[in-house]
Amino acid sequence: MPDFGELRILIVDDDPFMQEILDQILRQLGVCEIWKAGDGLVALEILDHAPLPIDIVLCDLDMSGMDGISCIRHLSERNFAGGILVMSGSGQRLVSSVADLVQEHRLNLLGAMSKPPNARDIADTLANYDPRIHRGNGVSSLAQHAEAFTVEQLRTGLEQGYADIVVQPQVALHDRRLVGCEVLLRWRDPDRGGISPAEVIPIAEANGLIDELTRQILQRSVRCLANFHRLGVHVRMSVNVSAMNLARTVFPDELATIVAEANLSPRDIVIEVTEGRIFDQPAVTTDVLGRLSLFGFGLSIDDFGTGYSGLEKLRHLPFTELKIDRTFVHGAAVDPSLAVILRTAVTLGRSLGMTVVAEGVEDQVDWDFLASTGCDEVQGYLVAKPMPTSDFPVWAAEWQRTAIAMQPSG
Ligand code: C2E
Ligand code: CA
Ligand code: CA
């Protein structure tokens, strides 16, 4: 068992009995410095005034006084650098949703569990804490990293051509045929290594550079797709665009030019827009989506299920594809609430005449379950991880060969 003797831990729970149980478990695990708070407000006082920084907060959710969700918000505002373990007696659903919230706040989630907790789970969770990553400056490691990538670096990188792309295949569920691929940005800074698109895109959006970044990605993408076609790999290509790109009415014309210059048809390209942002600027977006559709581009609602946009509104937009977010896909076979959401999304998409794609298919259990829902296409690590564009033609030939071999004969 790792040595927990150096850890400073704060228990936040309004139930003295539960405080006592947790205290005993922690002491059994060798923790020496334990602080206790009966609600969020007291917890924040302790965090602000403890002689040495607290490493880990064990936070109950349902408390009289300041509750756990509010406390987590305040921790985020303070850039709390330590680890957080969320606990509640109000059911696993609430625990998981607050666990997501902790990550959205860019805090370091160590674990989330229903009460009463047991010593083994707590030990496993404490073992996730790494003082080298989580301690230091009182600023969370994630926040430090985000700050490290600056708009100047983005600007230079755009000039130097650091915006590289990889592709991930999409295959039909019923016959395993390769039908398409999604382009994903890979920012390759020779000095700093790869930087996640989830970090690069928001910085580009916030600094007026998203149109240039998207233009470069689209240029590379169409060149790459034209090459695939030349090599006999006849797939379509899906490209992610930011909702901000759709706020310019000339976007469809510019895209049409880029595609025509590569001797491709708009029908070869699908534009993915994240569900949660489609209605950022409703009037322009409707205009732009309408013209993309007129030109023949495919239009996909990405991350479906995470945006709460309401199908009534989406139904009136010319989308051709529904892409179910991976948080509803992997593990749905063994999680009844995910299974319901997944089935409903597939039925909905199909009844509106859209192609339904599931992303995040990681194992055969996911695949088999999706096959039972009527989903059209899948994408995910089970089929292949995103790969360099130069590897794709060889991968595609190999996949087609085995896909055909696996078809029932006669
Ligand atoms: P997304 O559009 O939902 O892309 C799918 C993400 O899931 C990719 O992460 C991909 O690597 C990952 N993924 C694929 N299969 C699996 C799987 O089986 N399991 C799991 N756990 N993950 C899987 P990536 O490349 O880090 O991209 C993150 C997000 O960044 C994308 O999410 C998209 O929203 C954004 N993004 C990526 N490239 C671009 C781009 O060129 N333009 C814009 N505007 N956004 C982009
Ligand atoms: Ca996408
Ligand atoms: Ca997605």
Coordinates of all heavy atoms in Angstrom, one line a residue, residues 182 240 272 302 323 359, ligand 2:
E182 N -13.1 10.7 -39.8 CA -13.2 12.1 -39.1 C -11.8 12.6 -39.0 O -10.9 12.0 -38.6 CB -13.9 12.0 -37.8 CG -13.9 13.4 -37.1 CD -14.6 13.4 -35.7 OE1 -14.9 12.4 -35.2 OE2 -14.7 14.5 -35.2
N240 N -14.6 18.8 -38.2 CA -15.2 19.6 -37.1 C -15.1 21.1 -37.4 O -14.0 21.5 -37.8 CB -14.5 19.3 -35.8 CG -14.7 17.9 -35.4 OD1 -15.7 17.5 -34.9 ND2 -13.6 17.1 -35.6
E272 N -19.2 18.8 -39.1 CA -19.7 18.5 -37.7 C -19.7 19.7 -36.9 O -18.7 20.5 -36.8 CB -18.8 17.5 -37.0 CG -18.7 16.1 -37.7 CD -18.1 15.0 -36.8 OE1 -17.7 15.3 -35.7 OE2 -17.9 13.9 -37.3
D302 N -22.8 17.0 -33.7 CA -21.8 16.3 -33.0 C -22.1 16.3 -31.5 O -22.8 17.2 -31.0 CB -20.4 17.0 -33.2 CG -19.2 16.2 -32.9 OD1 -19.4 15.0 -32.5 OD2 -18.1 16.7 -33.0
K323 N -24.6 12.4 -34.4 CA -23.5 11.7 -33.8 C -23.6 11.7 -32.3 O -23.5 12.7 -31.6 CB -22.2 12.5 -34.2 CG -21.1 11.6 -34.5 CD -20.0 12.2 -35.2 CE -18.8 11.3 -35.0 NZ -17.6 12.0 -35.5
E359 N -20.0 7.4 -31.5 CA -18.6 7.5 -31.3 C -18.2 6.9 -30.0 O -19.1 6.7 -29.1 CB -18.2 9.0 -31.4 CG -18.8 9.9 -30.4 CD -18.4 11.4 -30.5 OE1 -17.9 11.8 -31.6 OE2 -18.5 12.1 -29.5
Ligands
CA2 CA -16.4 15.5 -34.0

